[in-house]
Amino acid sequence: MQTDALIRTWLLEVLADGPATALEVARAVWSRHEDEIRDVGDLLFTWQLDLRRCAEALISGGDLAVLASGKWAAPDGSTPPTRRTWAEAEIAVAVERYLDALVDEHAGKAVHQRRLVSDLVGLTSHGEDRVHQLLCNITTVVGEHDIAPLTGFPPRSNVPVGVRPAVAQALERLRTH
């Protein structure tokens, strides 16, 4: 998910609970999403600016109201968009398949990237682009363990919550077998 869409989702998620000041929204976003904010690239350094910019865009587009009290409010009858996050089981299966392919590639066997992505699309609730992005995130974490990652999945810095521990656990299982 792009940063703007992520911030918009968080903002509307908070406002689904009722009107709130900018400070109250920021506090709620931080309390609900601190781990994600810390783990997604440079978001830790920009999220409050991004939140303000998103709110201003929603206000100017008529998709966010500013009450007389100064509080932000979602328009009546609106619901926050559904977030498409990765379930723990989906991350685990992606990591296992990635590491299986990595073992094959390190052994000199051909790895069919499209087949890997296609298989994971069938095993998760995500499309090809999201699966490919997750595999690129896994590449980042594998590289952090000083292991040569799969070729063809360039590293991405916005590693979703849950990927680092899943990779660490899977690598530990590989080392003990």
Side-chain angles (χ1 to χ4, degrees), residues 37-149:
I37 291 168
R38 289 182 182 281
D39 288 341
V40 178
D42 288 334
L43 192 58
L44 176 63
F45 307 105
T46 66
W47 75 274
Q48 289 184 17
L49 298 170
D50 297 335
L51 184 67
R52 174 64 73 170
R53 189 183 68 245
C54 177
E56 289 170 354
L58 290 170
I59 291 165
S60 69
D63 296 319
L64 187 66
V66 179
L67 304 178
S69 64
K71 291 186 175 187
W72 296 339
D76 290 336
S78 68
T79 57
T82 303
R83 256 185 84 208
R84 303 264 339 247
T85 58
W86 287 95
E88 198 173 307
E90 292 175 320
I91 291 171
V93 74
V95 168
E96 290 298 329
R97 295 293 174 100
Y98 182 100
L99 293 180
D100 289 345
L102 185 62
V103 168
D104 287 347
E105 186 174 271
H106 286 192
K109 296 179 185 174
V111 172
H112 302 283
Q113 295 170 14
R114 287 186 184 181
R115 186 178 313 147
L116 176 60
V117 170
S118 173
D119 288 349
L120 287 170
V121 166
L123 294 170
T124 68
S125 63
H126 300 276
E128 287 183 9
D129 288 343
R130 292 285 316 270
V131 167
H132 188 272
Q133 290 170 2
L134 180 64
L135 293 171
C136 292
N137 293 133
I138 295 169
T139 289
T140 299
V141 179
V142 166
E144 291 171 356
H145 288 267
D146 294 324
I147 298 171

